[in-house]
């Protein structure tokens, strides 16, 4: 119909800023309830691998994200013989990276165990630790498993 005018939706800059601010608040609220970490968001930082056999390798990937507008310097420290992928020396504002953690269960006695890796985070005036935990329970191999 040529006589009918089409209306375009005009989006103002204030509306866009308001929407982005509201989305950011929702993400912050979600992170406070669901994510591990103090200032950094850690997805998958507390992992329970359940029952494993002695000698099994547990492999876990954790996503680390910096939701702040400040950059941080990073280092790592493992409380066990965990193998940890290289940690970048710094993380920029509003960016993240994947961190691979491996735990070799060779030599562990049957029972429950927890291993930790600490990300040591520093800015100009503060220093703190972000904790990554891997829980597992070593079980003895049964006679049926050994026959395979």
């Amino acid at each position: 119909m040529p006589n009918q005018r089409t209306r375009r939706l005009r989006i103002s800059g204030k509306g866009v800023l308001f929407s982005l601010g509201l989305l950011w608040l929702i993400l912050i609220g979600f992170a406070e309830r669901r994510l591990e970490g103090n200032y950094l968001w850690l997805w998958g930082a507390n992992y329970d691998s359940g029952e494993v056999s002695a000698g099994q390798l547990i492999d876990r990937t954790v996503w680390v994200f910096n939701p702040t507008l400040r950059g941080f310097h990073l280092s790592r420290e493992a409380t066990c013989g965990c193998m940890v992928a290289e940690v970048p020396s710094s993380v920029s504002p509003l960016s993240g990276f994947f961190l691979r953690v491996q735990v070799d269960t060779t030599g562990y006695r049957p029972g429950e165990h927890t291993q930790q890796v600490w990300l040591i985070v520093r800015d100009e005036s503060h220093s703190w630790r972000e904790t990554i935990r891997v829980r597992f329970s070593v079980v003895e191999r049964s006679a049926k498993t050994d026959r395979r």
Side-chain angles (χ1 to χ4, degrees):
M1 300 189 167
N3 293 339
Q4 189 177 23
R5 288 185 167 173
T6 58
R7 281 182 70 182
R8 288 192 163 182
L9 179 62
R10 294 183 67 182
I11 301 174
S12 68
K14 290 180 184 178
V16 170
L17 286 176
F18 176 78
S19 298
L20 288 174
L22 185 60
L23 178 64
W24 188 251
L25 287 174
I26 290 169
L27 283 173
I28 294 292
F30 173 78
E32 289 294 321
R33 299 268 183 214
R34 299 279 183 204
L35 300 176
E36 296 90 7
N38 294 321
Y39 289 102
L40 299 178
W41 291 352
L42 305 174
W43 276 277
N46 287 317
Y47 178 65
D48 187 351
S49 64
E51 294 182 347
V52 297
S53 300
Q56 185 174 340
L57 185 67
I58 301 170
D59 194 1
R60 181 71 180 160
T61 301
V62 177
W63 188 48
V64 180
F65 183 74
N66 178 7
T68 69
L69 298 177
R70 300 182 316 204
F72 298 117
H73 299 285
L74 301 173
S75 60
R76 66 173 162 80
E77 182 179 322
T79 62
C80 59
C82 303
M83 294 175 280
V84 182
E86 288 300 314
V87 174
S89 61
S90 64
V91 60
S92 303
L94 303 175
S95 67
F97 61 93
F98 290 100
L99 178 64
R100 186 174 176 193
V101 177
Q102 292 180 329
V103 178
D104 186 0
T105 61
T106 302
Y108 285 96
R109 295 177 188 227
E112 295 184 9
H113 302 276
T114 301
Q115 300 299 331
Q116 297 183 127
V117 174
W118 289 318
L119 281 179
I120 301 167
V121 186
R122 295 179 316 280
D123 64 6
E124 294 79 29
S125 58
H126 299 90
S127 178
W128 67 94
R129 294 179 180 190
E130 302 283 2
T131 306
I132 299 167
R133 288 183 188 87
V134 178
R135 287 186 291 283
F136 56 95
S137 181
V138 175
V139 295
E140 292 184 27
R141 294 181 182 168
S142 67
K144 291 179 183 178
T145 308
D146 289 339
R147 290 182 193 161
R148 290 185 191 181

